[in-house]
Amino acid sequence: MHLLTDPLQFDFFTRALLAVILVSVLCALVGAWVVLRGLSYIGDAMSHAVFPGIVGAFLMKGNLLVGALIAAVLTALGIGAIGRRSGLKQDSAIGIVFVGMFALGIVMLSRAPTFTTDLSNFLIGNPLGVTPTDLWGALAVTVVVGGILTAVQKELLLASFDPTEARAVGLPVRRLESLLLILIGLVVVLTVQLVGTTLSVSLLITSSAAARLQARSLKKMMLLAALLGTVGGVTGLYLSYYQDTAPGATIVLVNTAIFLAALAFRRRE
């Protein structure tokens, strides 16, 4: 039992544990939509596309999170606009906006006199450095995102899988698509700040993909993704503590192992 309780004597470990659980639930809420709609590329793309917003806020001595959120919203709207106007598949639109935004961030960064620790930490993330304020912020975002998705779930399902029928019954398909992209961007920004890019993408995609192999309804998929993400996160965090390894990377490896197990024992249609 002491193997479980000993690390909890440290406040930083307890906060990291709570952060991983909250982020797992938050990522499961949007990760199910990401996997079902074939948008797995968007997690990594969003985490890089917010770069100019972060750099801009840094140069203006503003709040990095606010800058990242603004960039995430602009990225989401840009992806939707390019996809609709060009007729290209959404993955192509994501690639175009992602590369352009990231390049803009690099150009802006070249104007910065120094690359400070604050900016580096935002991009890399550190679960063991989570503060109580970060936890309250994660809880607030989880409640907001969960509430919005619950309110528009039926409309979003119809717009996602039968847009023609959705338009016929008067649903604002474009607005719903933009809303989903913005929510994904919001989740990515928060999780990247808390746990880093690699773990953010893993929780957003790997856990939801594993859940998709076992669940057949959206609700069950979200619940299972949250459970698998939590199990992987907690297990990985304890392993990193006792093996003295990088926490984020260790959690990703555990999540990958969970996915492979789900793949080996997947439900047949």
Side-chain angles (χ1 to χ4, degrees):
M1 180 64 73
H2 69 278
L3 291 176
L4 296 177
T5 58
D6 283 355
L8 298 178
Q9 65 183 305
F10 301 105
D11 290 340
F12 68 85
F13 187 90
T14 303
R15 288 195 296 268
L17 207 59
L18 292 174
V20 167
I21 293 172
L22 273 174
V23 168
S24 296
V25 174
L26 181 58
C27 286
L29 292 174
V30 297
W33 293 101
V34 169
V35 171
L36 287 174
R37 296 194 55 174
L39 298 174
S40 297
Y41 182 40
I42 200 171
D44 187 45
M46 275 286 192
S47 65
H48 289 79
V50 299
F51 192 41
I54 298 171
V55 176
F58 166 65
L59 293 175
M60 294 185 291
K61 295 180 171 54
N63 186 288
L64 300 186
L65 181 58
V66 173
L69 289 175
I70 293 173
V73 172
L74 293 177
T75 298
L77 296 177
I79 290 171
I82 290 176
R84 290 190 298 268
R85 292 179 180 274
S86 67
L88 295 171
K89 291 185 178 180
Q90 202 159 36
D91 60 343
S92 297
I94 292 171
I96 292 169
V97 176
F98 149 52
V99 173
M101 291 288 282
F102 189 64
L104 175 61
I106 295 295
V107 171
M108 293 171 65
L109 186 61
S110 67
R111 305 281 296 177
T114 57
F115 187 78
T116 68
T117 303
D118 287 341
L119 184 55
S120 177
N121 283 341
F122 190 100
L123 295 174
I124 298 172
N126 179 19
L128 299 179
V130 171
T131 66
T133 301
D134 293 331
L135 290 176
W136 283 113
L139 179 60
V141 173
T142 302
V143 172
V144 170
V145 171
I148 293 174
L149 288 176
T150 300
V152 299
Q153 178 176 313
K154 293 181 180 179
E155 292 81 357
L156 196 54
L157 274 172
L158 185 58
S160 297
F161 300 107
D162 194 350
T164 302
E165 176 66 19
R167 291 190 183 93
V169 298
L171 291 180
V173 175
R174 292 183 179 180
R175 292 181 182 178
L176 288 169
E177 290 178 349
S178 295
L179 174 63
L180 178 60
L181 290 172
I182 290 172
L183 291 178
I184 292 172
L186 175 62
V187 170
V188 168
V189 167
L190 179 69
T191 55
V192 165
Q193 181 196 20
L194 291 180
V195 298
T197 301
T198 304
L199 182 52
S200 170
V201 175
S202 175
L203 291 173
L204 189 66
I205 299 170
T206 308
S207 299
S208 294
R212 177 69 179 89
L213 296 175
Q214 301 296 323
R216 289 295 174 264
S217 71
L218 179 63
K219 183 178 180 180
K220 290 181 179 179
M221 183 177 171
M222 286 181 176
L223 292 173
L224 185 56
L227 176 61
L228 294 178
T230 298
V231 171
V234 172
T235 302
L237 202 57
Y238 270 96
L239 283 175
S240 73
Y241 177 84
Y242 285 110
Q243 299 300 319
D244 194 24
T245 55
T250 305
I251 294 173
V252 170
L253 289 177
V254 174
N255 283 340
T256 303
I258 290 174
F259 170 79
L260 293 176
L263 180 62
F265 298 98
R266 67 179 299 181
R267 289 180 53 180
R268 300 299 177 182
E269 297 291 348

